[in-house]
Amino acid sequence: MNSPALLRCLLGSRKRAAVVVAFWVLIAGLLAGVAPALESVEDNASANLPPAASDSMKARDLVRAQLPGQDATPAVIVVRGKGTDAEASAAQAVAAITSALSGTSRPHHVVSVVSTVTAPDAAAGLVSQDRGAQLVIVPMKGSPSDESFQNAVDAVRDLASDRAGPADVAVTGPAGIATDTVKVFSGGDKVLLLATIVLVLIILLAIYRSPLMALVPLLAVGVAMRVAETLGAILADAGIITVSSQTASIMTVLLFGVGTDYALIITARYRETLLDEPDRARAMQTAVRRTAESVLASASTIVLAMFALLVAASPALHGFGPYLALGVAVMALVAFTFIPALVLLLGRGVFWPGGVDKAAERGRGAGIWHRVAALVARAPVKVASAVIALLVVLSAGLLGYQESFNTLSGFRAATESERGQHLIQEEFGPGEIAPSTVVVHSQDSLRSSPAPAGIATALTDADHVSRVADPRMGKDGKTVFYEVVLDLDPYSSKALDAIGPLEQATRSAAQAAGVQDATVLIGGETAQNADIRSALDRDTILIVLLVLAIVTAVLVLLLRSLLAPLYLVATLILSFLATLGATTFFTVTVLGDDGIGNRVTAYIFVFLVALGVDYNIFIMSRFKQELRTRPPAEAITAALTRTGGVVSSAGLILAATFAVLMTQPIRELFQFGFAMAFGILLDTFLIRPLLVPAIVRLLGDRALWPARQGTPKAPSTPASGPPSAGVPAARAADTGSSLLLRAFSWIAIIEACTWAGLLAGMYLKYIPETTELGVRIFGALHGAAFIVYVSLTVLIAIRLKWRLGRTTVFALLAAVPPFMTVAFEIWARRTGRLPQPAADPSPTPAL
């Protein structure tokens, strides 16, 4: 977009602008005519599964291959009797339900019915201990994502409710959960879109004070969204990408956010250019040319960050990025072409009722940003120190961090599936809601061997095992399946941690029973969640490193600097930690959520870093432009005052659009929406206008090192008389202080890198091989080092009367990694990744 000829071709006149607008409208209409509906190609199942190569998925494949009828999706009907004879009430209701679901009028998708009526031998697993409640298993064929399947589940619910009489009844299980998930998502889509449009329109009207100008970003987002949705539907239908309901919801708010951001940046520069260039076409070309670098850098960062998710093995992360990357790329193209063309096409009326002059005058910057710039200029050290201290305090909320893998507990709306699970937990025990399947595969036939029975007996004595059903033989005679019920909540961290020991206990039992070289696999929801957790832990590390590398590379190319990307990325990391800490405190500690959704942390990091860096890009890009005519101190002041209003408006809109996700009845979307809104506000009103300019002022000429400023410094006034006797001593003192500060700066930088390396090593290597004593020693050393280092930093700062300049900032940044190691150790204990000394007095073996 830097080519003047291309800009003149697209935006040289109102006629050319009309052609550009017509082109996009035509493209959107043509694609809508040939593309399938996005809802018809959404895949909500694979996003909640572990990697295909994981043990739990291999176990699932063996179950489906070796046990007839196991490819069906079961609905679980829980019946609890009422009255003085609850046992008879439950039995009567089960008999009526079984009869209705076994007759010719049953829903087409019902394969069979397993109850105490059809399978009396299975009563041990279908009847509660007090015999007041029973389970009915209804395998159902078809895909849970099909509307016909969901209608069949609703029909099963209606039949069960009609036949249950006075007994309590609820339909849950995989079939019920899948159906309720679709209903919960579909109920919030229209609310999300409408709330986003209304909120953005109100904010735009307050910013622009012009109805037509406020409609321009909304029309642009509408065109981009239509094009992106239709292209995404075509690609998903061809199997090239996957799209889920969550991805579609996030796409809506993402396009509204970044679309209005880009519109604000371009139109604000257009209004500013009108002060010197009355010809609107030439003013728009100049505005687009001067904003192209920063907007392209912003869009490129988001697109590359989305594509970085492709390195993930987890389907939830792997399939999340391409569709969103497509949407942002389309939005960037629309922003550079459709938005300027539409503004030109609307002519002078776009500024009604205030007129062109008032709109142009507002481009000079509001008075509040002049005061903010003056504050940063007067006390950059105090400003930077205060902001960093606040971010560190906010990150302390991470001490309560824990993850949740329970899908139903994440619904913020009442569902029959969740009610059914509560009934099962109350009547049958916590593990009955999701039994695990232990698979033992031998090289030899086990049909006439006593080994299967021996393994079953041994499994009943394994830790946290509540019940083991009779073994079932596979079709090949070499594979045996055991339904194992744990005495733990199958979605808890303890249950997930129990899968590894259960596998080892099964392997030992098989060897003791004479089955050599047996293949042992564990399937079921608990095992799948354990594999999801392992994959997410690995993927998150890769994604964090890759996204940070991408952001750093983009900043290096944009700013032509090696130092600036380092401190800008450091501010992004601080922002992320503070945001995640605040989100944890609000949603887990205050609202009482079971934990942070297992994928939410990775989503927050990718989006917050990719979007948060936008505001750093906008201000630093303007700073670089101002350096052509101003010294660094004046350049950063001008950049802050000229971009303050528009960037703050853009951040407010982006935060508001993500906050709309909090209207959704899904825990993950609520937490993600809160985190993004909070983090973007931090970036908009603390980091970008205060912390970054303060760091730049402290660094002075070195802010863009190794690049140099474009204009020479103003010459200093020479002394009129001979130097006094105290000058050499003063110079010597200044030289000594300079050397001391320089040495301390390098120590702070080295300290920060060292602690960051220790933190990475602790996560990658230390945790899997730790012992309880080692954990205590390591945690104590980290805590002591953190306290000593922070104390030393403060003492030196006081000693030098806070004349540390950039050194203080580096020192405070260096104190963050050791603090995070302590927070990480506490978090690892709470989430079960480290042993709890009170729970098990025996020594903890190395993993």
Side-chain angles (χ1 to χ4, degrees), residues 211-521:
L212 287 179
M213 185 64 89
L215 288 176
V216 167
L218 293 180
L219 293 174
V221 171
V223 170
M225 184 178 297
R226 193 58 178 162
V227 173
E229 284 183 351
T230 50
L231 287 176
I234 293 172
L235 294 175
D237 192 46
I240 299 175
I241 66 173
T242 58
V243 180
S244 67
S245 298
Q246 279 196 8
T247 311
S249 297
I250 293 174
M251 171 71 97
T252 300
V253 298
L254 179 64
L255 290 191
F256 269 98
V258 299
T260 51
D261 275 12
Y262 297 158
L264 283 168
I265 297 297
I266 295 172
T267 56
R269 198 59 178 262
Y270 172 57
R271 290 183 303 176
E272 183 181 335
T273 307
L274 285 173
L275 291 170
D276 303 317
E277 176 56 73
D279 184 272
R280 290 191 296 275
R282 286 198 295 268
M284 181 60 78
Q285 294 171 42
T286 302
V288 172
R289 186 169 60 252
R290 291 180 178 176
T291 57
E293 188 178 43
S294 57
V295 174
L296 280 177
S298 167
S300 300
T301 303
I302 300 173
V303 170
L304 291 174
M306 295 300 105
F307 277 122
L309 294 172
L310 291 176
V311 303
S314 308
L317 297 180
H318 184 86
F320 191 74
Y323 179 54
L324 298 176
L326 172 67
V328 174
V330 171
M331 189 68 249
L333 290 175
V334 171
F336 276 125
T337 55
F338 181 85
I339 290 175
L342 185 57
V343 171
L344 289 179
L345 187 61
L346 293 174
R348 299 178 64 89
V350 77
F351 297 112
W352 180 83
V356 178
D357 294 337
K358 288 186 177 180
E361 188 62 29
R362 288 199 296 270
R364 295 185 183 275
I368 186 174
W369 297 110
H370 290 280
R371 292 193 291 272
V372 171
L375 172 64
V376 174
R378 286 196 310 269
V381 173
K382 293 181 179 179
V383 169
S385 301
V387 174
I388 292 174
L390 177 61
L391 295 176
V392 172
V393 170
L394 290 173
S395 67
L398 289 170
L399 297 177
Y401 181 87
Q402 58 187 16
E403 294 177 346
S404 175
F405 290 85
N406 191 339
T407 302
L408 285 182
S409 69
F411 291 159
R412 293 181 179 272
T415 62
E416 186 170 338
S417 297
E418 185 177 17
R419 185 167 65 87
Q421 284 205 358
H422 287 319
L423 285 175
I424 294 175
Q425 286 180 314
E426 293 172 2
E427 298 295 333
F428 294 86
E432 293 286 351
I433 60 176
S436 297
T437 301
V438 176
V439 182
V440 178
H441 178 75
S442 173
Q443 302 298 323
D444 304 316
S445 176
L446 297 175
R447 291 190 185 278
S448 58
S449 171
I455 296 173
T457 302
L459 284 178
T460 58
D461 298 327
D463 292 339
H464 299 299
V465 172
S466 173
R467 179 177 63 84
V468 179
D470 293 335
R472 291 179 292 175
M473 186 68 66
K475 293 189 297 184
D476 61 359
K478 299 179 180 180
T479 309
V480 185
F481 301 87
Y482 304 88
E483 184 180 89
V484 177
V485 177
L486 301 177
D487 60 5
L488 301 168
D489 179 350
Y491 301 100
S492 65
S493 295
K494 289 184 177 180
L496 272 56
D497 294 337
I499 293 298
L502 178 61
E503 180 181 343
Q504 185 58 44
T506 306
R507 201 178 305 279
S508 299
Q511 187 173 2
V515 181
Q516 302 299 322
D517 298 325
T519 299
V520 177
L521 302 170

Side-chain angles (χ1 to χ4, degrees), residues 608 611 615 651 654-655 658 675-685:
L608 193 59
L611 294 174
Y615 305 126
L654 188 61
F658 275 103
M676 289 304 301
F678 186 88
I680 290 169
L681 291 177
L682 278 183
D683 286 330
T684 303
F685 295 104

Side-chain angles (χ1 to χ4, degrees), residues 36 85 99 130 151 204-205 219 244 248 263 312 450 494 524 567 581 615 634 674 710 739 777 805 818 846:
D85 194 352
S99 175
D130 64 0
N151 292 336
L204 288 175
L205 286 172
L219 293 174
S244 67
K494 289 184 177 180
Y567 60 75
Y615 305 126
E634 294 181 10
F674 173 84
L739 291 175
I777 295 174

Side-chain angles (χ1 to χ4, degrees), residues 57-316:
M57 295 302 287
K58 293 178 181 178
R60 187 195 68 170
D61 293 340
L62 274 176
V63 169
R64 292 178 174 180
Q66 294 293 325
L67 296 179
Q70 293 301 310
D71 56 343
T73 304
V76 178
I77 304 175
V78 54
V79 179
R80 180 167 64 182
K82 279 189 174 182
T84 55
D85 194 352
E87 179 181 352
S89 174
Q92 183 178 357
V94 167
I97 292 171
T98 301
S99 175
L101 293 177
S102 301
T104 56
S105 60
R106 70 179 185 274
H108 176 68
H109 289 71
V110 173
V111 176
S112 61
V113 181
V114 180
S115 67
T116 53
V117 178
T118 61
D121 295 339
L126 299 175
V127 181
S128 64
Q129 189 173 1
D130 64 0
R131 308 192 67 81
Q134 294 190 29
L135 299 178
V136 179
I137 312 299
V138 185
M140 303 184 67
K141 62 183 179 181
S143 173
S145 60
D146 292 342
E147 185 177 357
S148 60
F149 182 93
Q150 297 156 21
N151 292 336
V153 172
D154 290 337
V156 169
R157 284 174 167 165
D158 291 339
L159 283 173
S161 178
D162 291 340
R163 302 298 193 278
D168 286 336
V169 63
V171 177
T172 183
I177 294 173
T179 299
D180 287 341
T181 301
V182 172
K183 289 181 179 179
V184 169
F185 270 107
S186 61
D189 288 343
K190 294 180 180 179
V191 174
L192 177 69
L193 181 59
L194 181 60
T196 304
I197 293 174
V198 171
L199 183 60
V200 171
L201 181 59
I202 291 173
I203 297 176
L204 288 175
L205 286 172
I207 294 171
Y208 285 126
R209 304 169 195 175
S210 168
L212 287 179
M213 185 64 89
L215 288 176
V216 167
L218 293 180
L219 293 174
V221 171
V223 170
M225 184 178 297
R226 193 58 178 162
V227 173
E229 284 183 351
T230 50
L231 287 176
I234 293 172
L235 294 175
D237 192 46
I240 299 175
I241 66 173
T242 58
V243 180
S244 67
S245 298
Q246 279 196 8
T247 311
S249 297
I250 293 174
M251 171 71 97
T252 300
V253 298
L254 179 64
L255 290 191
F256 269 98
V258 299
T260 51
D261 275 12
Y262 297 158
L264 283 168
I265 297 297
I266 295 172
T267 56
R269 198 59 178 262
Y270 172 57
R271 290 183 303 176
E272 183 181 335
T273 307
L274 285 173
L275 291 170
D276 303 317
E277 176 56 73
D279 184 272
R280 290 191 296 275
R282 286 198 295 268
M284 181 60 78
Q285 294 171 42
T286 302
V288 172
R289 186 169 60 252
R290 291 180 178 176
T291 57
E293 188 178 43
S294 57
V295 174
L296 280 177
S298 167
S300 300
T301 303
I302 300 173
V303 170
L304 291 174
M306 295 300 105
F307 277 122
L309 294 172
L310 291 176
V311 303
S314 308

Side-chain angles (χ1 to χ4, degrees), residues 550-621:
I550 289 171
V551 170
T552 303
V554 171
L555 290 173
V556 168
L557 294 174
L558 174 67
L559 302 176
R560 306 294 193 272
S561 169
L562 296 178
L563 178 60
L566 296 182
Y567 60 75
L568 292 177
V569 168
T571 63
L572 293 174
I573 295 174
L574 277 174
S575 174
F576 164 72
L577 295 175
T579 298
L580 188 58
T583 303
T584 301
F585 177 78
F586 178 68
T587 61
V588 177
T589 306
V590 177
L591 297 184
D593 284 353
D594 290 348
I596 300 294
N598 53 81
R599 295 165 288 181
V600 171
T601 299
Y603 293 164
I604 293 173
F605 179 84
V606 172
F607 277 88
L608 193 59
V609 170
L611 294 174
V613 76
D614 286 1
Y615 305 126
N616 288 336
I617 285 175
F618 294 144
I619 189 172
M620 292 302 290
S621 179

